[in-house]
């Protein structure tokens, strides 16, 4: 039997998780998920399911008709009765509420915006299929998001970071004991993340066959499920080759034979494993910044944009479908470039 890829396995896990999440929701919720399956990623549907759970729990907690009743009994007719003001009350509720386990839950503006976006998608499906006449969510204003500064390494910090990964310097004595066994792998992973800007999920999903050293490229599965080639430079090539030689001598557990990066347990390394190792090394370089694998991606995107000035190239290399997503992340650099251009054009020659 052919071994499933990482992304195939994740899709199966997400499908099982989705079925579990919607099992206690009204039947028409399952209809919605079947309807959007072909146009959404499995992780996106999981996020929608979590958000819809919160919505129906809110209805159960606040609507006198459904208090104390199972969520399954919330009738479809409710969707036609809710008004924009009801949706606004729901958004207010999201700021602070007690969940069914008795835990206090808060949502910031980003969390509230995401939940409204999920509810809009839910309503839009039924409205576009003419199952409801109105979509009240469209009359509710999306929360304004206050943009945060993009956290990234400065070039000298990135160099220090890789030096620590390679040498183990600045690690605790206990960490140094384990470092010798994993430093080649860790250097390959961190150099790859910093040198290509791929997502951590794309990194852990790499199989041995995906790496083509003759063309210096890796076939990866992007967010959304499509495949793409990512090209790497000499530093990444050297780090990957070193680990590739080590990988040949490792004996993975059954079901993980194809995985390129292995954990200490000889299984495909997980996203969580990579997050932990990046945090471990980054703390030795800076404590003022919370560095995650995604911040390594931001570091690469920043340097690529500074070198090329081509926002479309950066968007393509990072796998952004919409260049405006890229532009939003690197707006501060664009502002610097615009400022530097103020004296680039001379209108009249200056007199002697």
């Amino acid at each position: 039997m052919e071994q499933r890829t990482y992304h195939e396995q994740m899709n199966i896990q997400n499908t099982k998780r989705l079925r579990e999440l919607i099992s206690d929701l009204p039947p028409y919720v399952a209809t919605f998920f079947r309807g959007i399956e072909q146009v959404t990623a499995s992780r996106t549907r999981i996020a929608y399911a979590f958000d819809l759970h919160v919505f129906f729990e809110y209805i159960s907690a606040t609507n006198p008709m459904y208090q104390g009743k199972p969520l399954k009994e919330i009738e479809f007719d409710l969707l036609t009765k809710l008004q924009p003001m009801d949706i606004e009350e729901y958004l207010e509720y999201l700021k602070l509420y007690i969940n069914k386990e008795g835990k206090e839950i808060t949502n910031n503006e980003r969390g509230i915006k995401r939940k409204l976006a999920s509810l809009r998608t839910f309503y839009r499906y039924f409205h576009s299929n003419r199952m409801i006449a109105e979509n009240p969510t469209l009359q509710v204003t999306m929360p304004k998001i206050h943009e945060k500064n993009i956290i990234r390494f400065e070039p000298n910090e990135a160099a220090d970071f890789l030096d620590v990964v390679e040498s183990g310097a600045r690690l605790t004595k206990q960490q140094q004991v384990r470092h010798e066994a994993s430093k080649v792998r860790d250097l390959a992973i961190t150099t790859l993340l910093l040198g290509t800007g791929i997502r951590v999920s794309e990194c852990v999903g790499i199989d041995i066959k995906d790496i083509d050293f003759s063309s210096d490229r890796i076939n990866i599965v992007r967010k959304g499920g499509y495949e793409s080639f990512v090209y790497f430079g000499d530093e990444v090539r050297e780090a990957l080759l070193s680990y590739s030689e080590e990988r040949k001598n490792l004996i993975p557990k059954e079901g993980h034979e194809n995985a390129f990066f292995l954990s200490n347990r000889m299984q495909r390394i997980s996203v969580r494993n990579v997050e932990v190792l990046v945090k471990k090394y980054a703390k030795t370089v800076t404590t003022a910044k919370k560095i995650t694998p995604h911040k390594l991606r931001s570091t690469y995107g920043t340097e690529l944009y500074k070198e090329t000035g081509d926002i479309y190239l950066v968007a393509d290399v990072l796998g952004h479908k919409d260049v405006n997503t890229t532009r939003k992340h690197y707006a501060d650099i664009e502002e610097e470039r615009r400022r530097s251009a103020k004296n680039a054009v001379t209108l009249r020659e200056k007199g002697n």
Side-chain angles (χ1 to χ4, degrees):
M1 181 178 174
E2 186 177 353
Q3 188 180 135
R4 293 190 180 101
T5 67
Y6 167 78
H7 298 282
E8 288 171 341
Q9 291 172 339
M10 290 304 298
N11 282 335
I12 289 172
Q13 289 180 28
N14 286 341
T15 298
K16 292 178 179 177
R17 181 64 175 139
L18 179 62
R19 289 175 179 173
E20 179 185 332
L21 285 169
I22 67 176
S23 62
D24 61 344
L25 293 179
Y28 50 88
V29 175
T31 302
F32 161 71
F33 281 108
R34 283 194 297 272
I36 67 169
E37 183 172 0
Q38 301 305 316
V39 293
T40 55
S42 60
R43 286 189 300 177
T44 301
R45 295 193 294 277
I46 291 288
Y48 285 159
F50 276 113
D51 291 343
L52 290 176
H53 235 285
V54 174
F55 172 69
F56 282 106
E57 285 172 355
Y58 163 76
I59 296 298
S60 175
T62 61
N63 191 305
M65 288 181 60
Y66 299 106
Q67 283 181 342
K69 292 184 178 181
L71 301 183
K72 273 183 172 295
E73 294 184 12
I74 297 177
E75 298 169 345
F76 182 75
D77 189 49
L78 171 77
L79 300 183
T80 67
K81 295 178 179 178
L82 292 180
Q83 298 297 311
M85 188 176 295
D86 297 315
I87 307 298
E88 290 170 351
E89 288 177 357
Y90 168 57
L91 300 187
E92 176 64 28
Y93 164 86
L94 289 173
K95 293 179 181 178
L96 175 63
Y97 66 94
I98 307 296
N99 68 6
K100 60 184 180 182
E101 285 81 28
K103 184 178 179 182
E104 192 174 83
I105 305 295
T106 61
N107 280 278
N108 59 19
E109 57 194 15
R110 291 178 185 276
I112 294 172
K113 182 176 181 178
R114 194 193 83 171
K115 287 177 174 58
L116 177 55
S118 296
L119 197 57
R120 278 187 174 182
T121 303
F122 185 61
Y123 262 89
R124 182 169 62 242
Y125 171 77
F126 294 112
H127 186 251
S128 63
N129 283 280
R130 300 181 180 179
M131 298 170 71
I132 56 176
E134 301 291 338
N135 183 351
T137 64
L138 295 179
Q139 298 174 52
V140 178
T141 305
M142 274 286 184
K144 183 178 180 180
I145 301 298
H146 296 85
E147 296 298 336
K148 298 179 180 179
N149 290 330
I150 302 298
I151 298 173
R152 55 177 79 93
F153 271 145
E154 295 301 323
N156 64 303
E157 292 175 328
D160 288 347
F161 173 75
L162 292 177
D163 286 344
V164 172
V165 178
E166 186 170 23
S167 68
R170 306 183 206 171
L171 294 178
T172 66
K173 290 183 178 180
Q174 187 177 6
Q175 289 172 333
Q176 286 176 343
V177 171
R178 296 192 293 269
H179 175 258
E180 190 63 31
S182 64
K183 67 178 182 181
V184 176
R185 181 204 65 190
D186 292 356
L187 185 62
I189 289 173
T190 51
T191 305
L192 177 63
L193 293 173
L194 273 170
T196 63
I198 63 173
R199 298 177 177 87
V200 63
S201 60
E202 296 164 352
C203 174
V204 302
I206 295 172
D207 285 339
I208 295 171
K209 64 178 176 57
D210 293 330
I211 304 178
D212 180 1
F213 286 108
S214 64
S215 300
D216 290 343
R217 68 185 187 182
I218 305 173
N219 184 43
I220 62 171
V221 178
R222 288 291 196 186
K223 182 180 179 181
Y226 70 96
E227 294 187 14
S228 174
F229 284 117
V230 169
Y231 292 84
F232 52 82
D234 294 340
E235 290 177 278
V236 176
R237 176 187 174 84
E238 182 180 344
L240 291 177
L241 279 172
S242 295
Y243 176 70
S244 184
E245 289 302 310
E246 184 177 277
R247 173 66 178 81
K248 292 174 184 177
N249 299 317
L250 301 178
I251 303 175
K253 288 186 177 179
E254 184 178 353
H256 300 268
E257 295 87 352
N258 294 339
F260 183 63
F261 290 117
L262 296 177
S263 70
N264 296 337
R265 296 182 177 181
M266 295 299 109
Q267 300 173 331
R268 183 186 294 274
I269 199 165
S270 68
V271 168
R272 179 59 181 159
N273 288 152
V274 177
E275 289 172 342
V276 169
L277 74 87
V278 167
K279 180 180 179 181
K280 175 181 70 175
Y281 293 118
K283 284 173 66 175
T284 69
V285 176
T286 174
T287 56
K289 301 175 183 178
K290 184 180 178 182
I291 299 298
T292 64
H294 193 76
K295 302 303 183 291
L296 303 187
R297 176 173 162 84
S298 297
T299 301
Y300 172 79
T302 300
E303 294 308 308
L304 181 61
Y305 188 36
K306 284 181 177 179
E307 289 294 322
T308 66
D310 188 340
I311 196 71
Y312 293 95
L313 174 63
V314 176
D316 185 46
V317 171
L318 292 180
H320 289 163
K321 290 185 177 181
D322 185 353
V323 72
N324 289 319
T325 301
T326 319
R327 199 181 302 278
K328 180 179 68 175
H329 282 95
Y330 302 102
D332 56 335
I333 306 175
E334 287 205 306
E335 185 65 27
E336 288 178 19
R337 294 178 66 84
R338 285 194 293 269
R339 189 180 297 114
S340 67
K342 63 183 180 181
N343 292 320
V345 176
T346 301
L347 302 179
R348 293 188 295 172
E349 292 292 335
K350 292 183 178 179
N352 293 329

